[in-house]
Amino acid sequence: MTVIYPSPIFGPVHSRRLGVSLGVNLMPADGKICTFDCIYCECGLNAERPVRLPRPTREEVRTALQQKLEEMQAAGTAPDVITFAGNGEPTAHPQFPAIIADTLALRNRFFPNAKVSVLSNATRTPNEEVHRALMAVDNNIQKLDTVCPDYIQRINRPQGHYDVAEIIKALAAFKGHVIVQTMFMAGTDADGADVDNCGDEYVLPWLAAVKQIAPSEVMIYTIARETPVQSLRKAAPEQLDRIARLLEAEDIKVSVSY
């Protein structure tokens, strides 16, 4: 089953990449709103998850987060990270920069050793206010699955304007304060077309873009949960290891989730 997360706070959950993660979901609790419509999304496809409830307000997020952090402090349970994720693109919330400021203040008050992370598809990184907010968080994690426009349209399926060259430029503008996250997979899409992006046709142009971005780290991963398109498959461990070695050869830090 694909999942829809509670809103505005969920967890804590154990993240493969981040540890004990307290989730912040800036989307409605009854569905999905995203600037992408990825065929591998664990939350399902946008059309399958229509929303009726509004997004939580800045005040609702701040109140709910403070309450949860107070509960965790009283229980002696410390989060490793407070993670913005959930049912869609967090940076698309109109109050995202202010919510980040509130979150950092609450983190400093209750768990100053916890990191604040944002899992984003990078569609809003060219926005100046979003850029400044992301510069303030500890882990600015941005998606770049490929640089091939056709693959992006078939797999990520942007729901508005998306120019991959513009996104690469915006990611490079973080001047290293960014983690690039890339999904590698195999199988076919709903039309039976191959979706394998592990070959050099995709990997080498992507690697050139990563070098241009100069991130602090690259996270490569593959499918771990049920996907709305059932014919998708995990990338083989040896494929992920090969891509990791290419990054390491360029002195780029890499983590792999199989």
Side-chain angles (χ1 to χ4, degrees), residues 4 31-39 41 43-51 87-89 156-159 228:
I4 290 295
K32 181 186 172 196
I33 301 175
C34 196
T35 53
F36 270 1
D37 194 18
C38 298
I39 66 172
C41 182
C43 296
L45 303 177
N46 292 353
E48 298 173 348
R49 298 288 191 267
V51 300
N87 310 335
E89 174 52 38
N156 299 129
R157 306 199 301 176
Q159 300 299 288

Side-chain angles (χ1 to χ4, degrees), residues 217-220 243-245 247-248 252-256:
E217 182 181 348
V218 175
M219 294 177 169
I220 62 175
I243 296 165
R245 288 194 297 270
L247 290 163
E248 290 167 344
I252 298 170
K253 181 181 178 182
V254 57
S255 63
V256 184

Side-chain angles (χ1 to χ4, degrees), residues 127-137 174:
N127 179 280
E128 289 185 10
E129 290 187 354
V130 170
H131 173 92
R132 285 195 295 270
L134 291 169
M135 285 295 292
V137 304
F174 288 112

Side-chain angles (χ1 to χ4, degrees), residues 37-231:
D37 194 18
C38 298
I39 66 172
Y40 60 74
C41 182
E42 66 179 10
C43 296
L45 303 177
N46 292 353
E48 298 173 348
R49 298 288 191 267
V51 300
R52 296 173 180 82
L53 298 174
R55 290 183 174 101
T57 65
R58 173 188 181 181
E59 292 73 20
E60 289 169 338
V61 175
R62 183 177 60 228
T63 299
L65 180 58
Q66 179 172 334
Q67 180 180 347
K68 185 64 177 181
L69 292 176
E70 287 174 344
E71 292 175 1
M72 294 181 72
Q73 189 179 65
T77 303
D80 294 311
V81 63
I82 300 169
T83 306
F84 284 78
N87 310 335
E89 174 52 38
T91 65
H93 192 293
Q95 296 175 299
F96 176 75
I99 290 170
I100 288 294
D102 292 340
T103 301
L104 292 170
L106 288 169
R107 182 276 307 272
N108 293 343
R109 175 180 167 189
F110 289 99
F111 294 103
N113 292 328
K115 305 294 187 183
V116 174
S117 299
V118 176
L119 297 178
S120 169
N121 62 27
T123 53
R124 296 271 293 154
T125 51
N127 179 280
E128 289 185 10
E129 290 187 354
V130 170
H131 173 92
R132 285 195 295 270
L134 291 169
M135 285 295 292
V137 304
D138 299 289
N139 297 316
N140 171 28
I141 304 173
Q142 300 292 332
K143 174 178 296 298
L144 185 67
D145 287 340
T146 182
V147 299
C148 173
D150 175 67
Y151 192 91
I152 292 165
Q153 291 299 322
R154 289 194 301 114
I155 307 305
N156 299 129
R157 306 199 301 176
Q159 300 299 288
H161 170 76
Y162 184 91
D163 181 330
V164 69
E166 180 183 351
I167 297 302
I168 291 167
K169 181 179 178 181
L171 296 178
F174 288 112
K175 299 188 183 303
H177 186 69
V178 61
I179 298 169
V180 170
Q181 184 184 73
T182 302
M183 165 70 81
F184 289 102
M185 61 184 180
T188 59
D189 65 17
D191 297 322
D194 185 12
V195 300
D196 188 331
N197 61 335
C198 299
D200 284 348
E201 173 189 359
Y202 292 104
V203 171
L204 295 183
W206 166 84
L207 179 60
V210 170
K211 290 166 64 177
Q212 180 181 339
I213 294 164
S216 62
E217 182 181 348
V218 175
M219 294 177 169
I220 62 175
Y221 69 124
T222 192
I223 293 166
R225 300 180 178 91
E226 184 172 345
T227 58
V229 174
Q230 298 289 312
S231 52

Side-chain angles (χ1 to χ4, degrees), residues 236-247:
E238 56 268 25
Q239 292 175 309
L240 296 179
D241 289 340
R242 183 186 81 89
I243 296 165
R245 288 194 297 270
L246 292 174
L247 290 163

